[in-house]
């Protein structure tokens, strides 16, 4: 096994944290370069625009699905013992939690992984929202919000094993799963030729997907190499890891080292390196109190929703979907629908109502140059890259 030497030097938990950190660095680097973001993809799809954000997300999604299923078909790993498949799941948690998370990521202008990436390059809005997200996730896991989460999750449950495996339920098998990923990757390749997506956009998105599949493979190998510890088979997620990292900082040593505790600081470091190399480090703050309230409310919804659903936009929407977990697909669908509705209610309708109030400049002779419309910072903030 490739991890036996590292485990003999660093211990099993130390090796797990190191591998999580290395994968996190690469994920953060690729995510920062590609601007990978589920929120941006949903908004582009809902508004029928063609800015390449959906294509970027689709490259990540399809790459993760295709590689993960290919690794399983080659016999390199077996994910049936992963928590997302083996443990009892909650369909009510997936539906409600996914909807809360989708609403929250529109309000906070980024999902949990995107907030971490933005915070690393100096976005103070994302930093505060990420901290609120982590505190809320911890409260939903073991704090004041835990009873509510448990009650909602218990409304509609599903047994673990084949009952949570869509490839078993549908009868498609891993070959069908790999074909599904390949078809969407082909679609992304076609769309990237029709839209302006720079090289780092599509290449970085593929890199993010590779990291998701690599995490599944690496944690499987480590779980088989470990003797003294039980190392779970898992991939990338940011709800539980954010809560664990917060507790490690607030009350060290908190808990033993593990994959999750290496992942979050690794993503932060990778994003920081990417932003520094391309000179994109920049301090950004809030525009006003109303904006701050929106971000904080969104982070609260994401923290509770992500813990209730058992995964975030990456944990459920990509990692869980790559192994075709039923609850992950329900969560992703719920996120998508709720985010679309939230964007329509909170942003598009608000913009339409405000447009008549924006003063327009008086007509002037421009000799062939069209006059620019009046600039309104509140409206432009919706379209600005988070």
């Amino acid at each position: 096994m490739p991890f036996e030497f590292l485990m003999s030097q660093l211990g099993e938990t130390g090796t797990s944290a190191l591998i999580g950190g290395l994968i996190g660095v690469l994920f953060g680097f690729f995510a920062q370069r590609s601007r990978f973001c589920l929120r941006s993809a949903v908004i582009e799809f809902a508004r029928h625009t063609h800015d390449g954000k959906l294509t970027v997300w689709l490259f990540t999604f399809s790459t993760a699905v295709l590689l993960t299923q290919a690794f399983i078909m080659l016999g390199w790993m077996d994910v049936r013992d992963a928590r997302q498949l083996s443990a009892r799941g909650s369909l009510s948690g997936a539906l409600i939690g996914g909807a809360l998370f989708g609403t929250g990521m529109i309000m906070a202008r980024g999902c949990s992984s995107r907030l971490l990436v933005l915070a690393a390059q100096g976005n103070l809005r994302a930093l505060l929202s990420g901290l609120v997200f982590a505190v809320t996730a911890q409260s939903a896991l073991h704090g004041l919000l835990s009873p509510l989460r448990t009650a909602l999750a218990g409304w509609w449950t599903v047994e673990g094993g084949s009952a949570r495996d869509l490839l078993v339920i549908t009868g498609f098998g891993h070959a069908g799963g790999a074909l599904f990923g390949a078809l969407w990757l082909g679609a992304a390749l076609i769309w990237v030729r029709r839209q302006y997506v720079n090289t780092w956009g599509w290449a970085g998105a593929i890199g993010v997907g590779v990291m998701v599949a690599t995490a599944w493979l690496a944690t499987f190998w480590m779980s088989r190499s470990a003797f003294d510890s039980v190392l779970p088979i898992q991939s990338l997620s940011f709800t539980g890891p954010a809560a664990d990292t917060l507790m490690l900082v607030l009350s060290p040593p908190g808990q033993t080292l593990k994959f999750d505790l290496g992942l979050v600081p690794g993503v932060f470091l990778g994003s920081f390196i990417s932003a520094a190399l391309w000179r994109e480090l920049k301090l950004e703050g809030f525009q006003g109190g109303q904006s701050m309230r929106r971000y904080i409310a969104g982070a609260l919804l994401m923290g509770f929703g992500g813990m209730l659903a058992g995964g975030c936009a990456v944990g459920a929407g990509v990692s869980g979907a790559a192994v075709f977990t039923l609850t992950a697909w329900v969560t992703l669908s719920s996120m998508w629908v709720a985010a679309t509705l939230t964007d329509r209610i909170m942003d598009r309708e608000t913009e339409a109502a405000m447009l008549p109030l924006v003063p327009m400049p008086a007509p002037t002779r421009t000799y062939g140059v069209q006059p620019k419309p009046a600039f309104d910072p509140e409206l432009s903030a919706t379209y600005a890259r988070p």
Side-chain angles (χ1 to χ4, degrees):
M1 286 292 181
F3 296 105
E4 290 179 351
F5 174 76
L6 282 176
M7 288 181 174
S8 66
Q9 300 297 314
L10 303 176
E12 295 169 355
T13 56
T15 300
S16 181
L18 175 63
I19 297 302
L22 293 176
I23 291 176
V25 167
L26 293 173
F27 176 94
F29 182 90
F30 290 134
Q32 201 280 334
R33 296 292 348 120
S34 65
R35 275 44 173 188
F36 164 76
C37 179
L38 177 60
R39 167 193 169 267
S40 298
V42 172
I43 290 177
E44 179 178 309
F45 179 80
R47 298 187 181 189
H48 306 291
T49 57
H50 304 284
D51 300 324
K53 306 294 193 307
L54 179 59
T55 302
V56 167
W57 183 86
L58 195 57
F59 266 114
T60 293
F61 175 81
S62 59
T63 300
V65 172
L66 177 59
L67 276 185
T68 300
Q69 295 301 312
F71 290 161
I72 296 173
M73 291 176 61
L74 291 170
W76 292 0
M77 67 178 185
D78 184 349
V79 297
R80 286 177 293 182
D81 291 334
R83 175 187 57 82
Q84 288 91 333
L85 287 170
S86 63
R88 188 179 184 87
S90 171
L91 290 173
S92 58
L95 281 168
I96 300 171
L100 292 175
F101 192 98
T103 299
M105 74 177 181
I106 294 296
M107 295 177 67
R109 293 196 166 95
C111 67
S112 49
S113 62
R114 182 61 178 162
L115 293 179
L116 182 59
V117 169
L118 290 173
Q121 62 188 56
N123 191 315
L124 300 180
R125 301 186 300 272
L127 178 61
L128 176 61
S129 300
L131 290 173
V132 173
F133 166 81
V135 170
T136 308
Q138 179 61 32
S139 177
L141 181 62
H142 295 302
L144 292 175
L145 296 176
S146 179
L148 176 60
R149 175 187 60 83
T150 303
L152 294 175
W155 286 355
W156 186 12
T157 61
V158 58
E159 295 294 333
S162 59
R164 289 187 70 179
D165 191 337
L166 278 175
L167 296 179
V168 174
I169 295 172
T170 59
F172 288 158
H174 296 298
L179 178 60
F180 178 86
L183 289 175
W184 282 112
L185 181 59
L189 290 170
I190 294 174
W191 290 339
V192 78
R193 295 172 61 88
R194 300 178 179 178
Q195 301 173 347
Y196 176 72
V197 180
N198 60 32
T199 302
W200 268 120
W202 62 264
I206 291 176
V208 174
V210 169
M211 289 304 103
V212 171
T214 300
W216 280 121
L217 183 63
T219 56
F220 171 78
W221 284 349
M222 286 189 292
S223 71
R224 293 298 182 266
S225 301
F227 291 99
D228 299 327
S229 305
V230 178
L231 301 181
I233 302 171
Q234 63 184 104
S235 187
L236 306 184
S237 185
F238 291 92
T239 307
D244 290 341
T245 304
L246 175 68
M247 294 308 298
L248 179 66
V249 173
L250 294 179
S251 58
Q255 52 187 301
T256 58
L257 292 174
K258 57 182 179 179
F259 183 88
D260 291 346
L261 294 179
L263 174 65
V264 173
V267 172
F268 188 93
L269 177 60
S271 177
F272 177 83
I273 291 172
S274 173
L277 290 176
W278 272 264
R279 298 182 180 180
E280 294 175 353
L281 295 174
K282 180 182 178 182
L283 286 177
E284 299 179 66
F286 290 96
Q287 295 181 348
Q290 184 176 359
S291 175
M292 180 180 291
R293 289 194 297 269
R294 170 177 171 146
Y295 277 82
I296 292 175
L300 286 168
L301 291 175
M302 281 199 297
F304 182 77
M307 194 59 71
L308 175 60
C312 60
V314 173
V318 181
S319 298
V323 293
F324 287 87
T325 303
L326 172 61
T327 48
W329 280 86
V330 172
T331 299
L332 176 60
S333 301
S334 187
M335 284 180 188
W336 202 284
V337 172
T340 300
L341 293 175
T342 304
D343 174 63
R344 176 181 294 275
I345 295 170
M346 294 195 66
D347 290 332
R348 280 192 286 174
E349 291 186 0
T350 301
E351 293 160 14
M354 292 177 63
L355 282 175
L357 302 178
V358 179
M360 298 298 294
T364 57
R365 298 180 65 86
T366 57
Y367 301 97
V369 180
Q370 295 296 323
K372 295 182 179 180
F375 175 75
D376 179 51
E378 292 298 326
L379 292 180
S380 66
T382 303
Y383 295 98
R385 189 186 303 275

